[in-house]
Amino acid sequence: MSLSTHQAELFESSRGRLEAIAYRLLGSAGDAEDAVQDTYLRWHAADRRLIETPEAWLTKVLTNLCLNQLTSARVRRESYVGHWLPEPVLAGDPMLGPADTAEQRESVSLAMLLLMERLSPNERVVYVLREAFGYAHREVAEILELTESNCQQIYRRAKQHLATDRPRTEIDAAAARKVVEEFLAAALSGDTEPLIRLLADDAVSVADGGARVQALRIPVIGALRIARYLRGLFRPTPAKRASIGGTAAALHIAVVNGAPALLIAAGERIVGVICLDATPDGVGAIRIQVNPDKLERITRRWAAEGTHQALAEIW
């Protein structure tokens, strides 16, 4: 059944919300885009005369598609090479969804997306729809075909699972820029001491290369060890320059998933994203994404923003 202009516009008006839900559920912008496209195909094929509430119908179809992916993703991540990290999303991207409340902003931080990996698929759906999008328990229960009381129990369990190791407190844009500038200056100094002073004593650094790009496959723990690791990471070598096509890499400040970040660009490509979790005790976590499969959307968004002024060049 072909779509009328009104029906096509109705779906497009829902696309941003659907992508934001799917991203929070899957932790992958690419998978979220695919899930929304599959939802569109089902919308196109459906007898839309029988659909009383398109928004609820689209949300239910998308959620079921994501539930299927979450189940298979658990199996895939068990065999993932190295440390799996969520796909980074640049500030201003509609995929980040609503950001009016602290809960909505927290739900899309890399730290929370990692924490939500602990949840069962149903727990993750209930938590995301309730916490980030304000769905009533009755609405979530209808989407999952559960009783309302069961949905409430699942929500309480999800909250309990996420009660510990909560993500960092929020910082404003000016503070985020200062964090990145100080981090970059320390990393380029060639000395470990400036980095140690910026890092929390129990800081953790993890990197995701996805077997596509060389990356350390185990976490680095502790300020001293991380400082030594970063000193080597930022040291120029012919091999590093060759890995990005023989050119220097430009370093840019950004906000990614609500956190201060450093973008590493080779020409028009983003080849690395370093996200920093700032805490009152210093940078508590460093998450380095270099898997090219997870840098496609952020590259498109960054390129669409136009000319960027680099802070420095390396390698």
Side-chain angles (χ1 to χ4, degrees):
M1 182 181 293
S2 61
L3 289 178
S4 67
T5 300
H6 170 71
Q7 290 165 341
E9 290 176 348
L10 191 154
F11 182 87
E12 288 306 318
S13 69
S14 298
R15 183 182 290 276
R17 179 180 59 84
L18 296 174
E19 285 190 345
I21 291 173
Y23 175 65
R24 282 170 168 83
L25 292 178
L26 302 174
S28 165
D31 288 346
E33 290 174 339
D34 291 343
V36 172
Q37 185 59 26
D38 287 345
T39 302
Y40 171 78
L41 294 176
R42 284 160 173 74
W43 171 248
H44 190 282
D47 187 346
R48 293 173 298 280
R49 295 169 300 182
L50 304 177
I51 300 174
E52 295 181 3
T53 312
E55 179 180 326
W57 187 92
L58 291 170
T59 303
K60 182 170 184 175
V61 170
L62 175 81
T63 300
N64 285 329
L65 289 167
C66 289
L67 279 170
N68 291 336
Q69 286 205 44
L70 282 170
T71 301
S72 61
R74 285 175 176 266
V75 177
R76 293 198 307 272
R77 285 170 196 167
E78 286 175 358
S79 59
Y80 194 83
V81 176
H83 198 99
W84 182 91
L85 289 175
E87 185 170 343
V89 176
L90 198 61
D93 191 321
M95 189 165 279
L96 292 175
D100 299 324
T101 67
E103 290 78 14
Q104 288 172 335
R105 292 188 293 273
E106 179 188 65
S107 70
V108 81
S109 69
L110 293 181
M112 179 57 79
L113 291 172
L114 280 168
L115 281 177
M116 286 195 289
E117 291 290 305
R118 302 177 180 180
L119 304 180
S120 71
N122 272 358
E123 287 172 343
R124 190 160 181 168
V125 168
V126 172
Y127 182 83
V128 165
L129 292 181
R130 177 72 179 152
E131 196 82 356
F133 293 89
Y135 279 75
H137 284 299
R138 173 185 53 79
E139 296 172 307
V140 180
E142 289 175 357
I143 289 171
L144 292 176
E145 297 182 357
L146 300 171
T147 65
E148 188 171 346
S149 62
N150 193 4
C151 186
Q152 291 171 335
Q153 291 171 355
I154 292 172
Y155 178 66
R156 283 195 294 271
R157 284 203 306 269
K159 294 272 283 187
Q160 289 170 358
H161 291 322
L162 299 175
T164 58
D165 300 325
R166 299 294 285 189
R168 80 283 180 270
T169 54
E170 295 183 76
I171 61 175
D172 60 28
R177 183 177 184 87
K178 184 179 179 182
V179 168
V180 178
E181 288 175 340
E182 291 180 348
F183 173 82
L184 181 58
L188 294 177
S189 71
D191 189 4
T192 58
E193 286 303 318
L195 282 165
I196 291 172
R197 289 195 294 269
L198 284 178
L199 296 165
D201 291 340
D202 59 351
V204 178
S205 177
V206 293
D208 180 350
R212 295 286 311 280
V213 173
Q214 184 176 357
L216 200 62
R217 297 183 181 182
I218 58 174
V220 184
I221 302 172
L224 177 58
R225 290 182 178 180
I226 293 173
R228 289 172 175 168
Y229 164 63
L230 291 173
R231 185 179 60 184
L233 187 67
F234 279 83
R235 182 182 295 125
T237 67
K240 290 173 184 174
R241 185 178 286 260
S243 70
I244 56 172
T247 184
L251 303 175
H252 301 265
I253 288 178
V255 175
V256 172
N257 291 77
L262 191 63
L263 302 185
I264 305 172
E268 297 181 353
R269 292 184 300 119
I270 300 298
V271 296
V273 178
I274 301 176
C275 292
L276 309 173
D277 264 7
T279 75
D281 298 322
V283 174
I286 301 173
R287 299 181 180 92
I288 304 171
Q289 183 59 259
V290 289
N291 183 346
D293 293 338
K294 298 183 181 182
L295 297 173
E296 293 179 1
R297 185 176 177 105
I298 199 169
T299 292
R300 295 198 305 269
R301 294 290 306 182
W302 185 77
E305 290 184 355
T307 305
H308 300 270
Q309 183 67 41
L311 284 180
E313 291 188 347
I314 57 171
W315 304 341

